[in-house]
Amino acid sequence: QVQLVESGGGVVQPGGSLRLSCAASGFSFSSYGMHWVRQAPGKGLEWVAVISYDGANKYYEDSVKGRFTISRDNSKNTLYLQMNSLRAEDTAVYYCAKGRDGHNYAFDYWGQGTLVTVSS
Amino acid sequence: EIVLTQSPGTLSLSPGERASLSCRASQSVSSSYLAWYQQKPGQAPRLLIYGASSRATGIPDRFSGSGSGTDFTLTISRLEPEDFGVYYCQQYGSSPMYTFGQGTKLEIK
């Protein structure tokens, strides 16, 4: 069965950096686009970034452009999110999610999430 | 950027009743690009409906989606106690960009 397991969250000071990982199993990882979606405490869902199946194309939500970098290692079935210049408003649970089929219009499997807290 | 507005904010219904959740877009959205998710407290979201009306794998047939253009609806025909939670609609747009509605909280009486 499909499994997505995030790691790397924690407490970081404003301006700091953190790298999140998402280990995937149970499907052909290299065939699907992958996403990061976040949820601030008590708030709704916010899409963060997407990477194509081969890593060639990457897109970001405006507020994270230039600060966050999405990447993947298909040999390790792992998705990453490098987060730099972190701000208090980046505090959230970060989920990795699998794009549903080749069109990537929806997210059909989600990890359990990892909490990132940006605070001094 | 397309904005999705969900209503009502909170819905309180009893088991066995029918629930209708609305998602209205600020501009026309292709039906292929509209999805619905359920999220329970402390859990990740779960895909219910994609392409506005297609049920995801393992989703009971009491869940159905409909609509086109700017107005979409998620209907739960006969509520079960486990259907409580927050429901989000989501659309895919150009750029690409993905946006979610603010959510509808479904409370079971």
Side-chain angles (χ1 to χ4, degrees), chain B residues 22 24 35 44 47 51 55 59 65-66 70:
Chain B
S22 173
R24 181 160 292 177
L47 176 66
R55 273 187 301 278
I59 301 304
S66 62
T70 60

Side-chain angles (χ1 to χ4, degrees), chain B residues 54-101:
Chain B
S54 297
R55 273 187 301 278
T57 303
I59 301 304
D61 61 7
R62 65 179 182 273
F63 290 90
S64 63
S66 62
S68 63
T70 60
D71 289 295
F72 298 88
T73 301
L74 175 70
T75 301
I76 310 171
S77 59
R78 299 170 309 279
L79 281 168
E80 299 285 345
E82 63 265 28
D83 295 336
F84 74 92
V86 181
Y87 290 79
Y88 295 94
C89 58
Q90 170 255 317
Q91 70 91 27
Y92 163 85
S94 60
S95 298
M97 174 64 67
Y98 302 79
T99 55
F100 291 90

Side-chain angles (χ1 to χ4, degrees), chain A residues 35 37 39 43-47 50 59-61 95 100 104-108 110-111, chain B residues 32-33 35 37 39 43-47 50 57 88 90 92 95-98 100 102:
Chain A
H35 302 257
V37 179
Q39 186 169 36
K43 302 297 184 182
L45 300 167
E46 181 183 40
W47 172 78
V50 60
Y59 300 95
Y60 301 90
E61 191 269 331
Y95 297 100
R100 198 200 80 82
N104 222 11
Y105 300 150
F107 320 115
D108 58 356
W110 299 61
Chain B
S32 298
Y33 301 165
Y37 302 84
Q39 187 178 34
Q43 296 185 16
R46 176 175 69 148
L47 176 66
Y50 64 92
T57 303
Y88 295 94
Q90 170 255 317
Y92 163 85
S95 298
M97 174 64 67
Y98 302 79
F100 291 90
Q102 83 279 16

